[in-house]
Amino acid sequence: MAMDIDPDDELLQGPSDQEYPTLERQSSYYNPLHTFNLAKGELKQYQQQYGDMYFLRLAKLKPAVEAIADEEWKDFEIAGETVRRVDRVLDVRQGELCWVAGTVYMDMPLKPNILDDISKDHWISAPPPREKYLSPTGQDQTMLEDESGRLRLIGTPLQLSMLVTGCIIAVMGTENANGDFEVIDMKVPDLPRQPQRWERDEGSAVLSNGTGKKRKSDAEEKHTHGGKIAIVSGLRISGDQGDTMTQDLLMEYLLGEACGPSEQSEVSKISRLIIAGNSISEGTPLATREDEKKASKKYGYDSSAYNPAPTTHFDNFLATLLPSIPITLIPGESDPANVSMPQQPIHPAMFPRSRNYAAMPGSNEPGWFDSVTNPWEGDVDGWRMMGTGGQPIDDVFKYVEGDDRLEMMECLLRWRCGAPTAPDTLWCYPFQEKDPFVIEECPHVYFVGNQPRYETMVIEGPAGQTVRLICVPRFKETGEVVLLDTDTLEPEIVKFDVYEGNS
């Protein structure tokens, strides 16, 4: 389809004496949280048991789901029998109408087994990872557990609802003669309290002079309307020379070099770039024990096993952008960070050029280049944002039928748990005092990187909360970048593609 182009936007033009205004990039008000930062050095231990995480999660979320269930099922009757609350799952009595809260456990034969993982060393080749844990023969079972024991759940509501290991629910029903609990209705904790915009910035939630009106913070008063946040994921920079065209187009677009004056004015409104995981391509697979024995090493180190090209190219990519735009970097599954959740920030040593824009060690203020955890949450232009590199959603996908990523994201928020399947099938740190994956404040924007396609929707909570959900596609495959308007929270897509011609 032919389209008319503004003469001022044509890139190929003759010399001109016309003076153009100097564009300045819109400022970004950035206030990150450090919810998922782990302790350093000897304070970080892996000797404790993982089971404590489930009890921490249950202790935190059980009062919330019980309050909802009690309000909904109070004085509920069936055939003249009034429903009764029981404190523990083992207190359920056969034939008695009751409700109880606990942690869901999915008993699925196809889930990974640590004993099988150990035995892989003795196989010629390990079997490929399963796309789904669902049993084709219907052997999967849904359990409800607490500190007292487990109870098998059956019933139609389970088939109509999305459930995975680790989510906290309340169920109402009766126990049958087989010892199974037949579920009539089910409740989840639902969305938590949502902070107001600018609430964390300089105490703006404090009421001034008893007037009942919220005092505006300095950041809010200085805020320029019409800003945008760019979110990209799945760059998968490999270091190959023939693999950088779309990345160069993205870089030139964000710098305003690949567009005319009118488009440059729009690009200048992009106040921050968020990179949501998988910035570097997959590394070389780990060698087996037999390969390690055959490999010749000097002083226990094999330099040929490391390819510095992807990291170097990514560092150059960041260093080119950073003089113009602040960047928040979230690690992903393929990035040089720890595998277990929460992934800690990628070490500045990986970025010899870009680290000059990072905060000084020991500083409490974020730098222009902020390497953060995965998951991550913080305030950008007053909005509470929460995002991940995609692993929690990808793991939930294996438990359920279908591929509705937005529904999975909505369920995680309504369960108030950012990674419910950790530590069952999603590796994570064994927390002992607090489960940081419990969502204590509802975000305004929840984005997940490295998804198959771009999708978005808005969900609402019982107290008027509204959350914008965004599935950020893999840039390597789609060439798509999400631009989020900081006034309306409406997203849009910018797509980059390379015309290869007819071969």
Side-chain angles (χ1 to χ4, degrees):
M1 182 179 68
M3 56 186 300
D4 296 330
I5 300 177
D6 189 335
D8 291 338
D9 287 339
E10 293 181 355
L11 297 181
L12 298 178
Q13 299 185 25
S16 173
D17 296 331
Q18 181 180 354
E19 294 185 2
Y20 293 94
T22 301
L23 296 176
E24 294 185 1
R25 189 175 298 277
Q26 188 160 312
S27 59
S28 171
Y29 294 94
Y30 182 66
N31 193 357
L33 291 165
H34 304 285
T35 309
F36 303 99
N37 287 83
L38 298 178
K40 305 292 185 181
E42 296 180 356
L43 297 177
K44 183 166 61 175
Q45 300 288 338
Y46 287 88
Q47 299 175 356
Q48 55 268 35
Q49 295 294 320
Y50 283 91
D52 293 338
M53 282 189 61
Y54 290 116
F55 298 123
L56 292 171
R57 190 177 303 171
L58 180 61
K60 184 68 177 180
L61 295 178
K62 189 174 182 179
V65 73
E66 285 184 337
I68 295 175
D70 185 64
E71 181 180 357
E72 185 72 20
W73 297 331
K74 187 177 181 180
D75 301 327
F76 182 84
E77 294 185 2
I78 294 181
E81 182 181 2
T82 304
V83 66
R84 181 179 75 90
R85 176 199 168 206
V86 296
D87 295 327
R88 307 184 308 162
V89 297
L90 290 189
D91 293 336
V92 173
R93 297 293 177 260
Q94 182 176 329
E96 182 179 294
L97 181 63
C98 62
W99 66 268
V100 64
T103 306
V104 172
Y105 175 76
M106 304 298 294
D107 188 5
M108 312 175 83
L110 297 184
K111 280 198 306 184
N113 188 308
I114 184 61
L115 298 178
D116 292 340
D117 294 339
I118 294 175
S119 64
K120 286 179 182 178
D121 288 340
H122 306 287
W123 295 348
I124 297 177
S125 62
R130 294 186 175 92
E131 183 180 2
K132 294 278 192 179
Y133 299 147
L134 294 172
S135 172
T137 57
Q139 300 179 34
D140 302 332
Q141 297 181 1
T142 304
M143 306 286 188
L144 188 72
E145 69 175 19
D146 60 12
E147 65 278 2
S148 67
R150 284 182 182 172
L151 185 66
R152 184 187 175 194
L153 305 179
I154 61 173
T156 304
L158 303 180
Q159 303 172 3
L160 302 177
S161 303
M162 183 178 294
L163 291 175
V164 299
T165 294
C167 60
I168 310 300
I169 65 172
V171 292
M172 178 181 64
T174 58
E175 184 180 8
N176 60 22
N178 296 326
D180 300 330
F181 191 82
E182 297 182 2
V183 178
I184 301 174
D185 196 6
M186 183 179 68
K187 297 297 176 186
V188 297
D190 219 322
L191 302 184
R193 171 193 174 273
Q194 187 175 57
Q196 298 179 4
R197 188 182 184 187
W198 304 108
E199 183 172 310
R200 288 182 62 230
D201 294 277
E202 301 180 13
S204 61
V206 178
L207 301 182
S208 61
N209 301 325
T211 60
K213 296 182 179 179
K214 188 181 74 171
R215 177 179 65 83
K216 290 186 177 181
S217 67
D218 294 342
E220 184 177 1
E221 291 176 349
K222 296 177 182 177
H223 175 64
T224 304
H225 296 282
K228 296 181 180 180
I229 302 169
I231 309 175
V232 66
S233 71
L235 294 172
R236 289 191 176 273
I237 296 176
S238 63
D240 297 335
Q241 292 297 329
D243 195 32
T244 62
M245 182 64 73
T246 54
Q247 296 159 11
D248 290 342
L249 289 175
L250 170 63
M251 181 173 60
E252 292 177 3
Y253 170 79
L254 294 173
L255 294 175
E257 298 176 354
C259 46
S262 62
E263 186 66 22
Q264 286 176 342
S265 178
E266 292 298 315
V267 172
S268 67
K269 297 178 181 179
I270 302 176
S271 60
R272 176 167 293 273
L273 171 64
I274 299 177
I275 303 178
N278 289 8
S279 304
I280 298 176
S281 63
E282 293 282 359
T284 305
L286 293 176
T288 62
R289 292 180 180 177
E290 289 74 12
D291 294 335
E292 291 178 352
K293 293 178 181 178
K294 295 178 182 178
S296 60
K297 298 181 182 180
K298 186 176 182 180
Y299 306 118
Y301 172 68
D302 183 11
S303 60
S304 64
Y306 174 66
N307 179 15
T311 306
T312 302
H313 280 71
F314 184 46
D315 183 31
N316 294 335
F317 174 83
L318 295 175
T320 305
L321 289 174
L322 280 168
S324 174
I325 184 172
I327 297 177
T328 298
L329 175 61
I330 301 174
E333 187 177 15
S334 65
D335 291 326
N338 58 300
V339 176
S340 60
M341 303 292 286
Q343 287 183 288
Q344 297 304 285
I346 301 177
H347 199 279
M350 305 298 294
F351 311 111
R353 295 184 61 195
S354 305
R355 66 185 177 189
N356 296 325
Y357 297 88
M360 294 295 293
S363 174
N364 294 325
E365 296 295 326
W368 192 258
F369 171 48
D370 194 18
S371 181
V372 298
T373 62
N374 174 29
W376 167 84
E377 62 178 348
D379 292 351
V380 183
D381 290 336
W383 300 109
R384 176 63 53 82
M385 300 184 68
M386 185 173 75
T388 74
Q391 296 100 311
I393 294 297
D394 292 340
D395 201 54
V396 168
F397 163 78
K398 299 177 181 180
Y399 282 79
V400 300
E401 297 180 359
D403 188 21
D404 191 340
R405 302 299 176 115
L406 290 176
E407 183 183 0
M408 300 176 200
M409 294 171 64
E410 179 181 1
C411 286
L412 259 64
L413 290 179
R414 298 195 184 278
W415 295 332
R416 299 193 191 183
C417 189
T421 58
D424 184 31
T425 52
L426 185 64
W427 293 354
C428 77
Y429 179 78
F431 294 96
Q432 291 294 293
E433 298 179 358
K434 180 182 178 181
D435 183 3
F437 299 121
V438 172
I439 302 173
E440 299 189 11
E441 288 189 322
C442 182
H444 299 100
V445 178
Y446 177 35
F447 62 90
V448 175
N450 300 290
Q451 298 305 294
R453 57 193 171 275
Y454 165 73
E455 294 178 291
T456 184
M457 67 179 293
V458 175
I459 63 172
E460 298 181 357
Q465 308 98 316
T466 58
V467 186
R468 166 66 67 177
L469 308 181
I470 304 175
C471 289
V472 184
R474 306 181 187 101
F475 182 82
K476 179 85 170 184
E477 300 175 4
T478 65
E480 295 178 345
V481 179
V482 178
L483 298 183
L484 180 68
D485 191 292
T486 57
D487 286 339
T488 63
L489 296 184
E490 287 290 334
E492 61 179 309
I493 280 289
V494 176
K495 184 176 178 64
F496 301 88
D497 205 353
V498 178
Y499 178 70
E500 299 179 354
N502 297 324
S503 56

